[in-house]
Amino acid sequence: MHDLGSIMVELGGVLFLLGLVGHAASRFGISPIPFYLICGLAFGHGGLLPLGASEEFIEIGAEIGVVLLLLTLGLEYTAGELLVGLRRNAPAGVLDLTLNAAPGVAAAFLLGWGWRAAVVLGGVTAISSSGIIAKVLADLGRLGNRETPVVLSVLVLEDLAMAVYLPVLTALLAGQTIARGALSLAIALGAMVGVLFLALRHSAKVTRLVFNPASDRNDEILLLRALGLALLVAGVAQQVQVSAAVGAFLVGIALSGPVAEGAREVLSPLRDLFAAVFFVFFGLQTDPTQIPSALLAAALLAIAGVATKTITGWWAAKRAGIATLGRFRAGTALIARGEFSIVIAGLAVASEVEPRLGPLAASYVLLMAVIGPIAARFVEPVTRAVMRRRRAAATGPEKRLAPRPDTQPDVAGK
């Protein structure tokens, strides 16, 4: 057991360093997420300064961070908007899962790992990180962009698909009978439908649990009720093999009106704190000494993953009538992999399906978690530059003096 003083010293040092790193990242106008991940590598087992006393606290904080990220993301949208988005973007969700699982499945067979490992690695490469993407969209000020509901719809469809995939995978890896696996799946689907029903049909009642319009708003009470309800629903969802992220997101969706605005205001500082802890813990789970042996295969998978996610987001945004710039923003926003991929790989490692799968998955997810925020940050200036060059080449020297309507900022993409 570690004493309280040791925990406070380690935790205080980590948080202070994250503050310095975040400040430096903001000075350069980029997301601090990659730097948080690198700090986690430095503090993890095999790193430069391994943590011991505060690791358990950081793990709990990381789980709270994911819940807060998805809760505040859900507060941006109503239940009606969610339902319309899911119906409209169902084809994009199918394309997303199929196109992005294919590289993982193919890689497992090429490496000679067998069909169970192929099912696992396909899941690792298919699912984007809702936590990282939510943080990136908030950091870049894109929550109000036209393409953001498309991105969120794809993420929610992925998370709902995980409610089916995880129980099936758990039964598969544990060698359970078909009946036992079907029971686990039925429980997961029932819980998911129940939470979604409450969010869509009883939003006003859920809102009254958190906010009473007849009384003056109290930030303390609002914070405690909103956070408590989100953690409660997320915990129940996790217990029945449904994503805690889905539960927290649906709580945010269910809260509407003045309470949504007030909850965003009081939860934002808490979200930023625990989100940083989440990304550090993600790095803590990766042993740096295992990365070199898996780096080549992970890099090839990362190249394929960047391409397939960009295609998915671009196509989904095009179907929604969004302009070129918004399409590329949607595509790069989906690149990051994170918490779900680690959970899937962890199940496989625990069942000893393939000893080399753990290092490969960790290296792949780390690469994608770093590439994703960077690509999302720089896609807009790069796309604008390419579009300007193409327009200049198409108009010719004699026409460049006259202003053209299509040279105005890409308003449709916002």
Side-chain angles (χ1 to χ4, degrees):
M1 291 292 293
H2 297 280
D3 62 85
L4 181 60
S6 299
I7 296 175
M8 294 176 66
V9 167
E10 282 192 1
L11 187 60
V14 169
L15 294 179
F16 185 76
L17 178 60
L18 294 181
L20 296 177
V21 168
H23 174 72
S26 66
R27 292 290 298 272
F28 290 101
I30 60 178
S31 172
I33 291 173
F35 302 100
Y36 293 159
L37 291 168
I38 293 171
C39 287
L41 279 176
F43 295 138
H45 301 289
L48 298 176
L49 296 170
L51 298 179
S54 59
E55 189 169 348
E56 184 176 352
F57 179 88
I58 291 175
E59 180 178 1
I60 297 172
E63 297 293 335
I64 296 174
V66 175
V67 169
L68 285 170
L69 281 168
L70 273 296
L71 171 63
T72 54
L73 195 61
L75 290 170
E76 299 287 338
Y77 302 94
T78 66
E81 290 171 341
L82 172 67
L83 189 59
V84 170
L86 291 178
R87 288 173 176 171
R88 182 180 301 165
N89 293 294
V94 174
L95 174 69
D96 171 55
L97 294 171
T98 304
L99 195 61
N100 290 283
V105 173
F109 283 124
L110 288 173
L111 292 169
W113 287 358
W115 65 272
R116 288 202 301 171
V119 173
V120 172
L121 197 55
V124 169
T125 59
I127 306 299
S128 299
S129 169
S130 300
I132 294 178
I133 292 169
K135 177 64 173 173
V136 169
L137 292 175
D139 286 346
L140 298 178
R142 295 180 183 171
L143 291 178
N145 284 21
R146 280 193 61 203
E147 77 275 1
T148 298
V150 176
V151 173
L152 296 183
S153 296
V154 173
L155 291 177
V156 172
L157 286 165
E158 285 185 355
D159 290 351
L160 295 179
M162 287 295 290
V164 177
Y165 174 82
L166 281 178
V168 171
L169 179 66
T170 302
L172 178 68
L173 295 176
Q176 293 180 358
T177 63
I178 295 177
R180 181 78 176 271
L183 177 61
S184 299
L185 178 59
I187 293 173
L189 289 177
M192 180 184 67
V193 170
V195 174
L196 188 59
F197 176 79
L198 288 175
L200 293 173
R201 295 299 181 89
H202 299 284
S203 177
K205 294 179 181 178
V206 176
T207 298
R208 280 194 172 266
L209 291 175
V210 178
F211 177 77
N212 185 359
S215 61
D216 294 331
R217 195 186 111 194
N218 184 304
D219 286 348
E220 178 183 348
I221 301 301
L222 180 60
L223 171 63
L224 292 173
R225 286 183 173 180
L227 178 59
L229 181 62
L231 291 173
L232 177 63
V233 174
V236 172
Q238 190 77 23
Q239 289 291 326
V240 294
Q241 299 297 313
V242 179
S243 164
V246 171
F249 182 80
L250 292 177
V251 169
I253 290 289
L255 300 178
S256 60
V259 68
E261 181 179 351
R264 281 197 302 269
E265 182 179 338
V266 297
L267 288 169
S268 292
L270 205 61
R271 174 202 64 194
D272 293 339
L273 168 63
F274 283 102
V277 173
F278 162 70
F279 297 118
V280 169
F281 179 70
F282 185 82
L284 287 176
Q285 292 179 300
T286 305
D287 185 350
T289 61
Q290 295 182 339
I291 291 178
S293 62
L295 197 55
L296 177 59
L300 293 175
L301 271 178
I303 293 171
V306 169
T308 52
K309 282 293 182 182
T310 302
I311 292 170
T312 297
W314 194 93
W315 185 78
K318 181 182 179 181
R319 289 184 72 252
I322 295 168
T324 302
L325 188 59
R327 297 174 195 173
F328 281 107
R329 284 198 298 255
T332 54
L334 289 169
I335 288 174
R337 278 32 164 219
E339 60 275 10
F340 277 136
S341 299
I342 290 298
V343 168
I344 295 168
L347 291 174
V349 171
S351 63
E352 300 181 349
V353 169
E354 169 55 53
R356 294 171 292 174
L357 197 152
L360 175 59
S363 302
Y364 170 78
V365 173
L366 186 63
L367 283 173
M368 299 302 281
V370 172
I371 292 171
I374 294 174
R377 168 65 179 83
F378 289 104
V379 66
E380 188 166 340
V382 170
T383 304
R384 286 187 185 278
V386 172
M387 292 170 64
R388 281 196 299 266
R389 289 177 184 174
R390 288 184 176 179
R391 287 167 178 166
T395 56
E398 69 282 356
K399 297 182 180 180
R400 289 178 193 169
L401 295 177
R404 287 167 52 90
D406 60 356
T407 58
Q408 299 302 314
D410 191 358
V411 178
K414 294 291 279 184

